[in-house]
Each structure stands twice: as structure tokens, then as C-alpha cells.
Amino acid sequence: MDALGLAAKGRPRRKIRGWIKRKLNMEKKIGLALGSGSARGWAHIGVLRALRDAGIQVDYVAGTSIGALVGAVYASGDIDSLEEVVLKLDWKQIAHFFDVVFPKSGLIDGNKVADFIRDHVGEMNIEDLPLPFSAVSTNLATGGEVVLQKGDIIEAVRASISVPGIFTPVRKNGTVLVDGALVNPVPVSVVREMGADFVIAVDLNHDIVNKKGVGKTSIPNPAVSTPGESIGQSLIKRSKILEAINRRFEKSALPALKQIKQWRSKDPLPNVFEVLMSSINIAETQITSAKLKADPPDLLIRPNLGHLTMLDFHRAQEAIAEGYREARARLGPLMEK
């Protein structure tokens, strides 16, 4: 008997919804594609919570960059623990992750980020995770997409988050791997290849260029500031993070850095991280748009996070809440069909 037949017999609407959700899970393998987005990536946690509340069981998950980090923890079954930790992050802890190694092939080594992943996933291979998982990275020599589905989970995530110029690349099997967002920011195609019949994708970058840009335009929107925290407090935290990173650069005692400091005092420019990330954001937005048109997901979730910058990891509560809100809004019509 179909849903209309159930309704005719006077079944409560919530019973019909439950029937639809069960049918959806039984008949289709559901894949989740978690996109790149730096600090905006905490919104993925809110999306995952919304899916769980809606009774939707995910069969496959693929992630790019921060999406790979959250996706790996989710595939390991420890997403609630990650949420507890990120909600407590402050500017000192965030600055601690930036283990500066300039002037190597990246400004940040990434070992501390690897330790963070290890704390939540543990030492295991991708194929041993309870949920099938893929991390997307880019071959720096060829520009080709590299999908990591076997081997060390920490190495795979570390490769996927290696933003060029910021994190040092990862060497694997004779190749140099960097951030997967250069080739596939929202890995819809990857999760389809894993076997998904119905793909839910999360795009975190659709509104970042016009809202954020670089320099002064990175000031957050007052209407969506973190609950209990003023705009001034948020900016102070962000400036403290940048100051901590700058101090680490200055400890290198390189003559070139002294010259750069003189230039900066005469003609202030956006921070180096903002320049690099804003440039990558522009490229990611264009690539994402083209990819989603060529291979659209069955359900696209786009949280409004353009006011958050790459260093706003301390605003996890806001990102998670927006991810949950947007996911619920998009899942509503699906549940009604």
C-alpha cells in the first residue's frame, strides 16, 4: 500500500513520514559528499546531526579538505566527540595548530593537525572504518584527482587538507599530494563511484567571494554573530590568532621577513593567509559551480557561511547551527515527497 493509501486510512502524518524514510533507506544507497571550506567545515557536523534526526542512514561518505576531516571522524563513529571538542576551541588552541615551518614548501607543517585527527579517529586504515570513506586530494605534479580509499586514514586526511602554500604537501607512493579542493571541492562524482544511488552534497563555498573577499571585507555579519559573543570579541580573537602566527614567523629571524615587515608598515595589505585562502576560494567557487552543473547531486545543502573566514574555527557553534538549519530546510521537501 502506498503513502496515499495509508493517509486514506487515517494514519497519522508522522507515521507516513516514517514509512517514507524507511523506504528511502531500504531502496537506495545514500552517499554523502562533504565539501571543502576551512573553518566553515564545522557546518558539516550540523548537517550530519540533521540527517540523523531525520532518520536518514548514510551508506558512503566522501570528503574534500575539511570535509575529509569531518567525514573521516563520522565514518569512524565518533562525530559527537568531535562536536564537543570544536565547541570548546579558543584562539590559543587554534594558534597552536599552526606549526610554522617557513620557508619550506608550506607555511605550516600540519603535524599538530594530524595529531588532532589521530585523537578522534585513532591509528587505523581507511578500509577498516565502519563506514566506507574516501578522501580527495590532488597530484601536484599532474593536477589529477587522487581518491584515497585505502591506507592510513591520518595520512589521507592530511593530504586532503594540504592547502597549497599554507600546509606542506604529503608524499605518498612517489607522488606529492595537496588539497583536493583544487580539483573536486564537493566530491559528488566520488561518492557515486563508491556505489551511492542517492547523493546528498554539502557546498560551503557558494557565497564566500562576494561576502568575504580579503582585507576589511572579512568582517563578520553582525546579524549572525556567535551567540554570547560580540563582533568586537570575535575580531579580537581572530587578531590574536594572527598575532601568534606572526610571532612565530618573526622567530625565524630571516632578513627577508624584516624587509616584508617594513613593506607592510608602509603599505598595509591583507594577511598572507587571507591572500592565499581568498585566491583559492575564488578558484574553488568556480570549480564547484562547474562540477555541480556537470554532475548535480540529488540533494544539495548550502549553508550560508560567507561571513566566516578561514581562521574562524572558534565560531563552531554558529557554523554547526547554520549547517543544521539549512539541512533541515532542504530535507523537509524531500520527506514530503
Side-chain angles (χ1 to χ4, degrees):
M1 184 178 293
D2 62 14
L4 291 176
L6 289 172
K9 285 183 173 293
R11 284 282 186 93
R13 190 170 184 79
R14 64 176 179 274
K15 295 287 187 180
I16 299 174
R17 284 186 175 182
W19 181 85
I20 293 173
K21 287 185 284 187
R22 288 194 298 273
K23 291 291 288 183
L24 181 61
N25 285 335
M26 286 189 294
E27 293 179 357
K28 291 183 180 296
K29 292 293 185 180
I30 298 177
L32 183 61
L34 301 179
S36 61
S38 187
R40 295 179 294 277
W42 297 148
H44 289 316
I45 298 174
V47 172
L48 291 168
R49 190 199 300 165
L51 293 174
R52 181 176 61 189
D53 289 352
I56 295 176
Q57 179 179 338
V58 174
D59 299 288
Y60 308 98
V61 60
T64 298
S65 200
I66 188 68
L69 191 157
V70 176
V73 177
Y74 176 66
S76 74
D78 200 24
I79 195 66
D80 289 336
S81 174
L82 177 64
E83 181 175 2
E84 290 178 9
V85 170
V86 302
L87 285 173
K88 297 176 183 177
L89 285 176
D90 58 27
W91 73 268
K92 290 182 180 179
Q93 291 170 307
I94 297 167
H96 174 75
F97 289 130
F98 290 82
D99 40 352
V100 175
V101 293
F102 184 81
K104 294 185 179 179
S105 53
L107 301 177
I108 301 166
D109 190 47
N111 287 332
K112 292 176 181 176
V113 174
D115 291 339
F116 179 80
I117 301 166
R118 187 176 292 107
D119 289 341
H120 294 280
V121 180
E123 301 281 355
M124 67 169 63
N125 289 333
I126 297 175
E127 55 267 35
D128 297 326
L129 291 170
L131 187 67
F133 169 74
S134 296
V136 180
S137 61
T138 303
N139 185 324
L140 187 61
T142 66
E145 176 181 300
V146 179
V147 180
L148 301 171
Q149 297 177 320
K150 294 182 179 180
D152 184 12
I153 182 67
I154 297 168
E155 182 182 55
V157 174
R158 173 70 180 79
S160 186
I161 66 171
S162 295
V163 180
I166 294 183
F167 286 101
T168 54
V170 170
R171 290 186 178 275
K172 184 177 176 65
N173 299 329
T175 61
V176 178
L177 303 179
V178 294
D179 193 345
L182 296 178
V183 291
N184 201 349
V186 184
V188 174
S189 58
V190 174
V191 82
R192 284 201 195 281
E193 291 173 3
M194 293 173 71
D197 303 304
F198 187 95
V199 177
I200 301 172
V202 186
D203 172 18
L204 305 177
N205 299 321
H206 69 102
D207 63 343
I208 57 175
V209 175
N210 291 333
K211 285 189 178 180
K212 181 169 64 64
V214 295
K216 294 181 180 180
T217 57
S218 64
I219 296 175
N221 186 338
V224 287
S225 59
T226 304
E229 178 178 73
S230 68
I231 297 302
Q233 289 173 324
S234 180
L235 291 175
I236 289 172
K237 288 180 180 179
R238 190 183 305 160
S239 65
K240 286 181 177 179
I241 296 169
L242 292 174
E243 287 173 5
I245 296 171
N246 286 335
R247 282 196 297 271
R248 294 181 187 183
F249 279 119
E250 290 171 358
K251 286 181 181 179
S252 301
L254 294 173
L257 291 179
K258 293 181 181 179
Q259 183 62 55
I260 292 172
K261 189 173 182 181
Q262 292 178 2
W263 291 337
R264 190 172 60 182
S265 63
K266 295 177 182 178
D267 186 17
L269 291 171
N271 179 275
V272 62
F273 295 96
E274 288 189 334
V275 172
L276 287 171
M277 286 305 299
S278 294
S279 300
I280 292 171
N281 283 340
I282 293 170
E284 281 185 27
T285 301
Q286 298 298 322
I287 296 169
T288 301
S289 178
K291 285 279 188 179
L292 292 178
K293 286 180 180 178
D295 188 8
D298 300 284
L299 180 67
L300 181 60
I301 299 172
R302 283 178 156 173
N304 297 308
L305 301 164
H307 54 283
L308 298 183
T309 72
M310 71 160 290
L311 292 177
D312 283 336
F313 289 98
H314 61 285
R315 299 175 72 178
Q317 182 177 352
E318 179 181 347
I320 292 171
E322 172 57 19
Y324 184 87
R325 184 204 65 76
E326 184 62 22
R328 291 289 292 180
R330 296 291 297 138
L331 288 169
L334 176 66
M335 293 297 100
E336 293 295 338
K337 284 185 179 181

